[in-house]
Amino acid sequence: MSRKLVTLIAVLLVLAGCTSVTENLRLTIATGFSSGVYYKLGRALAGEWSKQTGMAVPAVLETQGSNDNVNRLESGEADIAFSAADVAVDRRNEKFSALARIYDDYLHIVVRADSPIRTMTDLDGKRVGVGAANSGVITIAKRVLDITKINAETFEYGLQRSTEALRNREIDAFFWSGGLPTDEIVQLGKDENIRLLDMSEQMRTIRGDFGYYGAATIPLSTYRTANTVPVTTLTVPNLLMVTDRLSAGAAKALTQGIFAAQQELANVSRAANSIDIRSAVETQPVPLHPGAREYYRDEKRI
């Protein structure tokens, strides 16, 4: 019997044993806008969790993003929420915990290729879309502008509105934080000549103040842009958040299910290829849910 088959049988046996703790669950997942990675992964997870455990398919909420999701988690409107780590940390709710760190978002700062804006400092005095009011994007965008002392005229536009406004020259630039690639920016790059701004000069200052942000490059192959070298930018981890309302047994089963469903998740978004059990435990300073911790301990990851 092959190793892969043995592993699959083991996973199925574990999940079968979890059925009793999930069969009566009625869960709601707060995700994001309908074309975004959060929403795509949320819908896929809902279906896979139901197949794995026999529980009712969780309801999937279309939302404005991380801030909106955390509000819904806090109020009880949602049981599970996708959130950028910075938003989760800022809320500092002791009832919050995480099932996993799932993938990292990349900050995009998009301008037209014919724009005179070449560096971050050139945004000073310009018209800039900073994300929808309850999104995670707006948290990062305003924080970056504040840290770098850039005084821009800001517009609380979501991604779709931002792309339209840039096309129509109503704004000079916009911020977006998301997985690679983001469909709307792929399409924008096909329709218009665009460029992404590099953040190399700002990253040391930003990471010095906020240790949970990382730095990475956006490969040239990701989008059709006027950039001639990969762009260095800020990254922020995404967490799958829950509260103490979720039992340890259910949390363990759902965490197991994330990794059992990884191929199905990758089929709806390439961002899911970054889900890795070795880094999934790195949710600090948000603690792991006790049930999730038990799963990782069984897997000898903590």
Side-chain angles (χ1 to χ4, degrees):
M1 187 179 296
S2 72
R3 177 178 290 184
K4 286 186 177 179
L5 183 57
V6 170
T7 300
L8 177 60
I9 291 172
V11 166
L12 292 175
L13 288 173
V14 170
L15 291 173
C18 293
T19 300
S20 61
V21 298
T22 58
E23 61 185 355
N24 295 319
L25 281 180
R26 297 293 184 271
L27 299 177
T28 298
I29 308 172
T31 60
F33 65 95
S34 60
S35 62
V37 175
Y38 282 178
Y39 186 80
K40 291 176 182 178
L41 294 182
R43 281 180 59 87
L45 265 179
E48 291 302 313
W49 277 334
S50 178
K51 289 179 188 176
Q52 293 163 359
T53 68
M55 65 187 284
V57 178
V60 178
L61 300 179
E62 184 178 350
T63 71
Q64 292 295 315
S66 292
N67 279 292
D68 191 10
N69 293 349
V70 169
N71 288 339
R72 293 173 191 249
L73 192 65
E74 198 165 48
S75 70
E77 185 179 349
D79 306 290
I80 302 169
F82 289 80
S83 178
D86 53 354
V87 173
V89 171
D90 288 351
R91 191 58 60 96
R92 300 180 188 278
N93 188 320
E94 63 182 15
K95 295 183 177 182
F96 287 168
S97 57
L99 299 181
R101 172 178 173 169
I102 47 176
Y103 69 94
D104 289 357
D105 274 342
Y106 288 66
L107 187 62
H108 302 60
I109 307 173
V110 186
V111 300
R112 297 180 66 91
D114 60 4
S115 167
I117 301 171
R118 296 286 174 176
T119 67
M120 283 282 295
T121 55
D122 293 333
L123 293 174
D124 199 68
K126 300 299 190 297
R127 303 163 299 172
V128 180
V130 292
N134 283 315
S135 67
V137 182
I138 199 168
T139 296
I140 298 178
K142 290 193 171 182
R143 181 167 287 166
V144 166
L145 292 174
D146 181 61
I147 291 173
T148 55
K149 297 179 170 44
I150 293 171
N151 184 24
E153 182 182 3
T154 59
F155 297 83
E156 295 184 357
Y157 292 165
L159 180 57
Q160 184 175 355
R161 180 71 183 92
S162 287
T163 58
E164 291 172 355
L166 192 73
R167 280 190 179 99
N168 298 331
R169 300 182 185 270
E170 297 168 9
I171 58 175
D172 304 299
F174 68 83
F175 282 78
W176 167 249
S177 180
L180 299 181
T182 295
D183 292 347
E184 283 80 359
I185 299 179
V186 170
Q187 189 59 50
L188 181 63
K190 292 177 180 178
D191 297 341
E192 306 285 342
N193 291 324
I194 60 172
R195 188 167 5 95
L196 302 178
L197 297 188
D198 187 272
M199 295 185 65
S200 299
E201 293 183 9
Q202 291 76 30
M203 286 309 306
R204 179 176 294 181
T205 300
I206 293 169
R207 295 190 68 192
D209 289 349
F210 300 96
Y212 43 72
Y213 290 136
T217 58
I218 299 178
L220 288 176
S221 59
T222 308
Y223 304 107
R224 183 182 297 174
T225 71
N227 299 92
T228 57
V229 295
V231 168
T232 296
T233 192
L234 174 154
T235 61
V236 58
N238 285 299
L239 308 179
L240 202 56
M241 303 279 294
V242 294
T243 72
D244 57 4
R245 297 189 299 269
L246 190 68
S247 72
K252 182 177 181 180
L254 296 178
T255 305
Q256 166 76 52
I258 296 169
F259 300 98
Q262 184 164 10
Q263 183 56 58
E264 287 72 19
L265 300 180
N267 288 341
V268 300
S269 173
R270 282 192 284 168
N273 288 318
S274 299
I275 298 174
D276 185 280
I277 195 169
R278 293 167 295 184
S279 59
V281 300
E282 298 171 1
T283 63
Q284 300 84 2
V286 177
L288 285 168
H289 188 286
R293 188 181 303 113
E294 183 179 345
Y295 166 72
Y296 294 120
R297 187 177 295 119
D298 288 349
E299 295 296 313
K300 296 181 172 51
R301 298 302 173 179
I302 54 175

